[in-house]
Amino acid sequence: MSSEHYTPAVNPLPPVVVALVLFIMGIEMAFTFGERGLIGGPEAIGWRTQARDSYSFFVSQFDWMLQTGQWRAEYLMRLITYPFVSVNFTQSVFVCVFVLAMGKMVAEVFGSVAMLLIFVLSGVGAAVVYALILAPGAFLVGGFPPVYGLIGAFTWLLWRKLSLVGENQAKAFQLIAVLMGIQFLFRLIFGGAPDWIADLGGFATGFGLSFFLAPGGWARIKGRIRRE
């Protein structure tokens, strides 16, 4: 059979998805190897803690900016950096698995740039929602909020597809309902911070951005405005 007719069994991952996963895992491997004394010397044991202090998103800092009107770059930067500092190796692995799965589907339909925008901006939206609801002592770290943004974009795709075939669009939200249910169950059993607020904020941001970033999305919105 000639190579011209060869079709791979699995579609290759979009480069932006691979790059994002390598970036997240690269940071995590540096922390993990440092904690085990394999690189960086004795001071490397504290790399993860130092990164959390320097790059996590703190509600108190956001509240201070709102109250004073002073928007410091070092605080605003944390809206983007916190997803890349994982709590532990396990968290980073789960984040990467979701990025590979959801990022691939979103990038193939929306395009690489739009997929990356959804990931980054969903992290920002999640942090803002979290800060507006939680007390000043709360903080965010880890990549699940922007991952939920990708889930929001994937849900939009299902929602749109169901509307085109005339089926119940509520079915598109089954995945997020299951994930939120699992989160509530784990919180009841093990306790912990209410990070589900940020995850839900990320989901809503990703879903909302899809109206604009999906192919032809902005044109459809302008068309509706003109008709009204």
Side-chain angles (χ1 to χ4, degrees):
M1 183 181 293
S2 67
S3 59
E4 294 179 353
H5 300 286
Y6 172 73
T7 302
V10 179
N11 292 332
L13 288 167
V16 67
V17 175
V18 176
L20 188 56
V21 168
L22 289 177
F23 186 66
I24 294 170
M25 284 308 300
I27 295 172
E28 177 56 37
M29 294 312 296
F31 293 155
T32 300
F33 289 155
E35 289 166 349
R36 297 183 179 181
L38 299 177
I39 60 173
E43 63 184 31
I45 297 175
W47 280 353
R48 191 188 300 273
T49 301
Q50 293 171 10
R52 286 181 196 167
D53 293 341
S54 300
Y55 300 110
S56 296
F57 174 78
F58 290 91
V59 172
S60 58
Q61 294 173 345
F62 189 81
D63 286 349
W64 179 85
M65 290 191 294
L66 283 179
Q67 293 168 7
T68 63
Q70 301 180 46
W71 300 94
R72 291 188 176 179
E74 60 187 289
Y75 292 166
L76 292 172
M77 171 191 71
R78 294 168 182 261
L79 291 164
I80 298 173
T81 58
Y82 80 86
F84 301 101
V85 181
S86 299
V87 174
N88 50 44
F89 180 80
T90 302
Q91 185 189 54
S92 65
V93 169
F94 275 104
V95 167
C96 288
V97 168
F98 274 103
V99 170
L100 287 171
M102 295 297 167
K104 178 180 185 295
M105 289 184 282
V106 173
E108 287 177 345
V109 177
F110 286 63
S112 296
V113 174
M115 175 267 168
L116 191 58
L117 280 174
I118 289 172
F119 184 88
V120 173
L121 295 179
S122 293
V124 173
V128 171
V129 170
Y130 194 72
L132 294 176
I133 296 177
L134 271 291
F139 69 97
L140 270 181
V141 63
F144 279 120
V147 159
Y148 271 83
L150 295 178
I151 295 173
F154 174 71
T155 300
W156 186 90
L157 289 173
L158 294 178
W159 179 79
R160 180 71 178 168
K161 181 178 179 180
L162 289 170
S163 71
L164 294 175
V165 298
E167 293 191 26
N168 184 2
Q169 291 176 273
K171 293 180 180 179
F173 297 92
Q174 289 177 345
L175 176 59
I176 186 63
V178 170
L179 292 174
M180 285 291 107
I182 293 172
Q183 284 221 40
F184 283 127
L185 181 61
F186 270 79
R187 180 164 166 74
L188 287 174
I189 297 174
F190 301 107
D195 291 344
W196 64 269
I197 295 173
D199 295 340
L200 201 56
F203 173 85
T205 303
F207 188 88
L209 286 171
S210 299
F211 286 94
F212 300 91
L213 296 178
W218 182 239
R220 285 194 298 271
I221 291 173
K222 289 195 295 184
R224 288 185 179 181
I225 293 174
R226 288 170 181 172
R227 287 196 298 270
E228 293 176 359

